[in-house]
Structure formats: C-alpha cells, structure tokens
Amino acid sequence: MNAFIHHFTFEFRTGIRNKQLLLMNYLFPLGFYLMMGFVMAEINPPFREDIIPAMIVFGILAATLLGIPDPLVNARENGVFRSYKINGVPSISILVIPALTTILHLVIMAVLITATAPLLFDAPLPVNWLNYALIFVALSFACAGLSVLIGVVSPSSRMTVLWSQLIFVPSMLLGGLMLPYSMLPDVAQKFAQLLPATQAMNAFNGLAMGKVAAFFPWGSVIILFISGVLAFGLAVYLFSWDSRNTTRRGHPLLALLVLLPSVVGIFLLP
Amino acid sequence: MKNSVIEVKDFRKTYGDYVAVDGISFDVKQGEIFGLLGPNGAGKTSTLECLEGLRAPNGGSLRVADIDPASESRKLRDLIGAQLQSAGLPESITPDEAMKFFCAYHNVAPRFDLLERLGLAEKRNSQFYELSTGQQRRLALALAVAHNPQVLFLDEPTAGLDVATRVELHGMMRELQAGGTTIVLATHDMAEAEQMSDRVAILLQGKIVNIGTPLEITATGAGLTKISVRTQASSLSVSGITFPAVSQHTSKDEYSIYFSSDIGTTVSAIIAHIEAQGDTLIDLRVERPSLEDRFLEITNAGVAQ
C-alpha cells in the first residue's frame, strides 16, 4: 500500500510538473472550452445546451489519448520499465497508476467546466447528477484503457501519435461534440458508434442532461465499461518491459479486440 | 572456501540469428568483485540482463543466490540491486521521490543518507532531467544499494563521473564487499577493473577468452615490459639502433619507447649505449604490462582471427 501511495503521488505530480501533461490535462481542454464557449455559443446558440458534456468529453479525449500513450512509450524506450522490473514494480501498477492519476486530473478539469459553464455561457446543468458522474467515470475508464493499450502496442512515439489521432480526430468530427449525431448520414452514424465519444454523448444526452438519446443510452454506458475492462486486460496481456523483448505474449494486432463491444453495439442497440 | 552466489553454466543468448552469448560458464563467490570486460557487442550486457532476470536465456543455466532469474524473478527482486547502463528513471522524478518510491517497493525505509553521501543533497528536489549525467548515475547507484542487496550489478558505474565521485564510489564498493555483498562489474575502464576486481572475465564475440585475477591475466600475455627513455642529446633517436630482447620500438614526446621480454638485459644495453655516446640520461621509466595492454592484445588477436 505504501508503494502504491508513493507511486500514485509521484505520477499525480508528474501530471502537473510535466509541461506536455499539464497542457493535455488542463491547458488544452480548458483553453478549448473557453474558446468554444465564447465563439461557438455566439455563432450557434443551441450549442450552449451541449457545452458541458461536449467539453468534458473533449477534455477526457485530450488528456487520455494525447497524454497517456507517449510517456509510456518513452519510459519503455528509455529503460524505465527495466529499472522498474528489477526493483519489483509490477506491470499492472505501471499501467493502472498513470490512468488513475489522469482520471483524478480529469475530475478537477470536469469540476472547473461544470462549475463555470452556467456562469460564463448560460449553459444548463445536468438534471441527473448521479448518471452524469457515472458516465464521466465510464468514459474516463474506457479512454484511459484505450490510451494505455495504445502505449503498450505502439513501437514508437510516431506510431502513438498515429493511433491516438485515428481515434481523436474522428471523435471530434463524428462524436456528437460539434455536430449532433442525428445529423450524420446513416453510414457515418454506424462508424461513429465505434467511438467512445459518441457513446458518451449519447449517454449524457439520454441519462444526465434531460435530452433525447439517439440510441439506447444504458447500452452506451455498458459498452464504455466493457471496452475499458477489455482495454486494460489486453494492455496487461500485451505489456512488454522493453522493445527488444523477443518473448512477447501476443501479437499487437490483438489490441483491435477492444473494438468488439462497440461493433456488437452497432447491431444490437436500438 | 566461500559459496558461489552466481553460477553460470553453458549460458547462451541469441536474438534471432545473432548469437550474443555462446555457451559461457563461470561462477562468482560471495563477497567477490567480479569484472566483466569486453568490447562493445561482446555479450556483457546480455549476460547481465539475463542474470538480472530481464531476459530469458536460450540455453544453459543461471543461478543467482540459488534462484533461477528467468523463472523466479519476483523472488530475486529484494536480493539484487542493479545500476543499468541507461538512466532508467522517469524524467520528472526527483531524487527524494525516487528514493521513497523504490524503497517502498522493496519494503525498506528510504536511505536519504546515501543521497547526501553521493553528493546529491542539494539536488534532492530537482527533477531527474535537470541532473547532470554524473548526478544521474550517482542517483541510480544510490537506488541500487538502498535495500542492501546480496548481489549488486553495476554496468559502467563510473562513466561520466568526476575523480572525487569515482573515488567515493570505489570506497562504497569496498564497503559493500566488506559487508558480504557480491558485485558484478561490467566496465570499459581497464584501470578500474584492475584496481577493483578480484577476478575478471574477458568476453569476445560471446565467448570467455580469459578468466582469472588481473595478475593471472596479465601474466598469461606476451609479457612485454614497456621501457621509456629520454636523454639530453637524443642519442637514441638515431635510426638503426637495436637492443637485445626488444620486439617493438616507437617514440613519443622525446621519449624512445621499447617493448622488451627481458627487462634487465635491455636496460643494461640502453644505458651502455647512452654512456658510449657521451649522452646523459634524463628519465627512464619501466612499466609492467597492464590489464589494458593484455585486454588489447586479446581483443586485437580476436578481431584479427
């Protein structure tokens, strides 16, 4: 327990101390939130209704997908994991603790957005706070798992950026943050359901913000949780202490199994 | 007779088709400082990594403190300490945090005294990337010994260290040895290996080409003694002069340098020649072959083959 506390404390401080992580955890999400609030809310007034869930989803995507994988790859390439292994740091701690500390930073970010949006932009507050918190946890868990998995299977920082952007950019365009899901063409809607952002926006609308969900909202919450469990499980299974390890347990393409819950959801969710 | 703490038998490590270590055997006794020497790519780091449990061997057997590092690496954690060649710490961790963090995983109290002893007292709250290379290596060493391991692996421990810190580190190694710690030292620094190691193994292309005490190893070479002579009138600079038992001759910085297999005969002949020429001897130095000379002799012969 003592080791967990020291490890957690160090990783949490790193989220503020490290300029790249500070940018991804706070400056980028909060800066984007203020910009969108002042600009988009003027151009498109109905956006005020979505500003809280949309900017929280954006913050979670930025902090996890853009913040978690790269430090994992760098640590592996610089021999940090080897040093950890010799000193008895378990692989599960290496993967789970950065995810937990990022989620704690995200809680702070979410509180700041939720508290200020009604005052600054006249944004409506959630009508069901419990569901609001539950969906926040589900999305954070799923995205953190996905990000850890990207860090584990990426052979280099360049590949990390590629994989992360493959999820981040479509999430921005199709995830319901800027444009309502209902306005997308049918094919784009099916593709969008593969994205955690779409599931989270659907759940926020149907379960927390008092709006109508595009498809079964509890299904979205379940998909996010199962995706998170699957992502962390695959990350632990595929974890390698260093890049020259020739005895890896599975092929990195196994990571694509993380899409399974969303694919099943496309066919099952009404 | 002390017990063997490390036993290596027919150990083999390959990476695809590349054979990094090709069936080597040696053992290290308790409290011994054992040097692993060899040029880059000789198999030193692969050997250390398998002994540390970071990689699995492809053949043979390894035992460290009676534990198989490949299959029982968790048991090994509290028994070994390692200073790796690479930094091995997150960029933003401070020495204080690193000490608390690693000691917590070893379930021992943090050894902040080691940070002070290794000259890191003023840098305790600096981030790792802000430390100089020498400070980073000293921190890695402090962390490696903080849990008082039975076996300590040091990979190039003094690279980038200043003279004072190097002396401090050597003193610390001697203290650990006196306390019963077994140390495996991989180094390129021949003077360090000769000074610190009880025994050394020289690796070349994945095989051990020589093993023994530094004295035993230097004694098995060609045994040429280096004689450097400087005279006032440079009477030895004339070409064509030969002396008995000399196999090589060169000159540097006004010194004539001879490599002799019979020191007495050669020195007598040189002095007789100087007197006969009416010249005056200014300086005469005799150096026995060092471990470095022997190492170069072995590695050059290996490369030539």
Side-chain angles (χ1 to χ4, degrees), chain B residues 55-170:
Chain B
R55 294 185 196 284
N58 298 99
S61 73
L62 301 171
R63 304 290 291 177
V64 177
D66 214 22
I67 287 169
D68 178 357
S71 61
E72 303 170 283
S73 60
R74 283 191 186 177
K75 283 189 192 170
L76 201 63
R77 297 298 149 236
D78 293 332
L79 301 177
I80 66 165
Q83 183 201 32
L84 301 174
Q85 213 172 49
S86 60
L89 284 171
E91 282 192 348
S92 59
I93 203 164
T94 66
D96 250 21
E97 285 172 339
M99 185 56 80
K100 287 180 193 165
F101 176 65
F102 283 100
C103 286
Y105 273 106
H106 286 296
N107 210 17
V108 296
R111 292 282 312 275
F112 296 118
D113 58 305
L114 287 171
L115 298 180
E116 290 185 19
R117 184 165 173 198
L118 287 165
L120 293 166
E122 290 175 8
K123 296 284 181 181
R124 282 175 60 165
N125 294 312
S126 300
Q127 293 181 54
F128 187 66
Y129 78 91
E130 295 171 327
L131 304 179
S132 68
T133 307
Q135 288 166 337
Q136 290 182 351
R137 295 196 75 78
R138 278 182 268 159
L139 174 58
L141 180 71
L143 298 173
V145 301
H147 58 289
N148 202 18
Q150 273 186 40
V151 183
L152 180 63
F153 296 99
L154 301 175
D155 200 352
E156 302 291 341
T158 51
L161 296 188
D162 58 38
V163 176
T165 314
R166 180 187 290 245
V167 169
E168 180 67 38
L169 168 72
H170 288 166

Side-chain angles (χ1 to χ4, degrees), chain A:
Chain A
M1 193 60 191
N2 190 28
F4 176 86
I5 290 167
H6 283 300
H7 196 162
F8 186 91
T9 308
F10 155 66
E11 288 284 356
F12 183 76
R13 285 178 182 161
T14 297
I16 297 165
R17 216 184 260 162
N18 181 304
K19 286 175 186 147
Q20 189 190 342
L21 292 181
L22 179 67
L23 181 73
M24 294 307 167
N25 288 337
Y26 295 101
L27 303 181
F28 186 36
L30 293 174
F32 191 72
Y33 151 68
L34 290 173
M35 190 191 77
M36 292 298 283
F38 284 116
V39 177
M40 276 289 278
E42 287 298 317
I43 298 169
N44 178 20
F47 181 69
R48 290 176 207 279
E49 291 180 16
D50 288 329
I51 194 165
I52 290 179
M55 289 303 101
I56 282 175
V57 170
F58 174 81
I60 292 171
L61 292 173
T64 54
L65 292 171
L66 306 183
I68 291 177
D70 204 39
L72 282 177
V73 173
N74 286 335
R76 187 183 62 224
E77 297 305 306
N78 292 334
V80 175
F81 291 171
R82 291 149 53 82
S83 172
Y84 281 2
K85 187 178 185 188
I86 287 176
N87 286 287
V89 182
S91 58
I92 199 154
S93 297
I94 292 172
L95 299 176
V96 169
I97 289 176
L100 286 177
T101 55
T102 302
I103 291 173
L104 189 55
H105 287 298
L106 285 172
V107 169
I108 297 168
M109 184 272 302
V111 167
L112 287 171
I113 289 177
T114 310
T116 58
L119 303 171
L120 294 174
F121 310 118
D122 202 20
L125 285 168
V127 294
N128 187 325
W129 285 96
L130 191 65
N131 286 352
Y132 179 69
L134 182 73
I135 298 161
F136 168 83
V137 171
L139 179 65
S140 301
F141 179 61
C143 287
L146 204 54
S147 306
V148 165
L149 185 59
I150 289 172
V152 165
V153 298
S154 294
S156 65
S157 289
R158 272 194 302 180
M159 284 302 288
T160 303
V161 173
L162 182 72
W163 285 115
S164 297
Q165 294 296 349
L166 265 176
I167 301 168
F168 186 77
V169 174
S171 296
M172 293 296 294
L173 298 173
L174 307 174
L177 278 72
M178 305 291 150
L179 198 67
Y181 173 84
S182 56
M183 290 176 70
L184 297 175
D186 278 356
V187 177
Q189 282 187 346
K190 295 298 177 199
F191 177 75
Q193 280 193 41
L194 292 172
L195 304 166
T198 310
Q199 303 290 354
M201 284 303 289
N202 183 58
F204 273 129
N205 286 336
L207 301 173
M209 302 304 292
K211 295 172 76 177
V212 178
F215 48 95
F216 183 52
W218 283 111
S220 292
V221 177
I222 291 166
I223 285 174
L224 288 173
F225 272 116
I226 294 176
S227 298
V229 170
L230 205 53
F232 276 109
L234 285 165
V236 171
Y237 181 71
L238 295 171
F239 178 76
S240 177
W241 293 96
D242 69 75
S243 52
R244 289 191 297 156
N245 193 350
T246 50
T247 54
R248 196 175 199 143
R249 279 192 289 194
H251 196 281
L253 283 177
L254 277 177
L256 291 174
L257 283 175
V258 77
L259 293 173
L260 204 59
S262 305
V263 172
V264 171
I266 291 173
F267 297 104
L268 293 187
L269 292 186

